[in-house]
Amino acid sequence: MELQVNQLGVVKRNIQRADKSAVEKLAKFGVATIHEAMGRVGLMKPYMRPIYPQARICGTAVTALLQPGDNWMLHVAAEQIQEGDIVVAGCTADSTDGFFGELLATSFRAQGCKGLIIDGGVRDTAELEKMDFPVFSKAIHSKGTIKATLGSVNVPVICAGAVVYPGDVVIADHDGVVVVPAAKAQEVADAAEKREENEAIKRPQFEAGVLGLDLYKMREKLEKAGLQYID
């Protein structure tokens, strides 16, 4: 699928989602681990924050391309949601209006949606927290939106600087949001597992007082780099 972020008036009904077992495996790991395991790529910009601290999600992307101040395409996207999906919404221009609230969350959840990632604003955050409906957004803003201008659903979008294709895996926690291409989901999940296993070996050594300087054999490299200790 070509990246056409300005492709408007289109709803793609049949998308290829990442393998379910790979998604389930990725759900075990945090954003930082997955980002590192994937080669330090895939992160959305750090202004994307959870609307409540314990929010965390992992699922397959149903994408929505919105117009500023217009949430029409979120209602259109609701029809395309399948169990385990996350709606990922980009916008054709910068906007922090409150595109999403408690009623849309109720609709999304009824279709099986696990949460929302939106490069825009949301409102009704107290109600969303009570529902335990995870949302990661650019802003919290009470300003309402209209339903007047077409965007698209299930086309590639740019959300907070990251390219997201329909069916990609999106993982979000308090450290941020990372996107894993559907075709690489199993490979990245396996790499994340190996990284976690490696960290589990190192953790007891740090707890015992071993320094990273010694564990990672940094001293010789630091000396060659010119580091000097002065007493």
Side-chain angles (χ1 to χ4, degrees):
M1 187 183 296
E2 294 182 1
L3 180 60
Q4 296 177 290
V5 296
N6 293 319
Q7 185 178 7
L8 301 176
V10 171
V11 178
K12 297 192 176 179
R13 292 177 172 172
N14 299 310
I15 64 173
Q16 186 65 45
R17 291 168 171 83
D19 180 76
K20 185 177 179 180
S21 63
V23 178
E24 291 174 350
K25 190 169 184 177
L26 283 166
K28 299 176 183 178
F29 309 112
V31 167
T33 295
I34 293 168
H35 165 63
E36 293 282 353
M38 196 164 52
R40 297 186 177 180
V41 297
L43 285 179
M44 291 189 183
K45 292 181 179 179
Y47 61 67
M48 297 292 284
R49 302 302 303 148
I51 63 167
Y52 54 93
Q54 67 271 30
R56 190 184 189 285
I57 40 176
C58 175
T60 44
V62 165
T63 63
L65 180 62
L66 309 177
Q67 299 286 0
D70 192 313
N71 76 346
W72 213 2
M73 291 301 103
L74 290 178
H75 289 271
V76 175
E79 188 179 30
Q80 304 307 314
I81 293 168
Q82 294 183 10
E83 189 70 36
D85 284 339
I86 295 170
V87 174
V88 180
C91 196
T92 60
D94 182 69
S95 180
T96 56
D97 294 345
F99 290 93
F100 185 86
E102 177 261 337
L103 282 178
L104 256 177
T106 301
S107 174
F108 277 22
R109 174 161 282 171
Q111 308 307 315
C113 186
K114 297 178 74 174
L116 172 72
I117 311 290
I118 181 168
D119 196 3
V122 299
R123 57 186 187 174
D124 300 338
T125 54
E127 289 80 4
L128 292 171
E129 183 174 1
K130 289 177 185 176
M131 292 172 62
D132 194 21
F133 189 90
V135 176
F136 290 73
S137 67
K138 177 192 292 187
I140 295 172
H141 200 341
S142 293
K143 185 179 179 182
T145 55
I146 61 172
K147 299 164 183 63
T149 308
L150 290 179
S152 288
V153 172
N154 280 336
V155 299
V157 299
I158 295 175
C159 183
V163 179
V164 186
Y165 288 83
D168 284 350
V169 188
V170 182
I171 305 93
D173 62 23
H174 205 268
D175 285 340
V177 186
V178 66
V179 182
V180 178
K184 296 182 66 176
Q186 189 62 57
E187 174 190 340
V188 174
D190 292 342
E193 183 177 51
K194 289 179 182 178
R195 185 176 179 84
E196 285 275 292
E197 290 171 351
N198 187 42
E199 289 186 356
I201 293 170
K202 294 173 182 174
R203 191 170 293 109
Q205 298 179 71
F206 281 121
E207 290 172 347
V210 176
L211 295 173
L213 289 171
D214 299 310
L215 186 61
Y216 298 121
K217 304 185 187 309
M218 297 179 182
R219 294 189 187 276
E220 185 178 350
K221 290 181 180 179
L222 287 165
E223 184 179 355
K224 287 181 178 179
L227 182 68
Q228 297 181 22
Y229 288 85
I230 300 174
D231 295 324

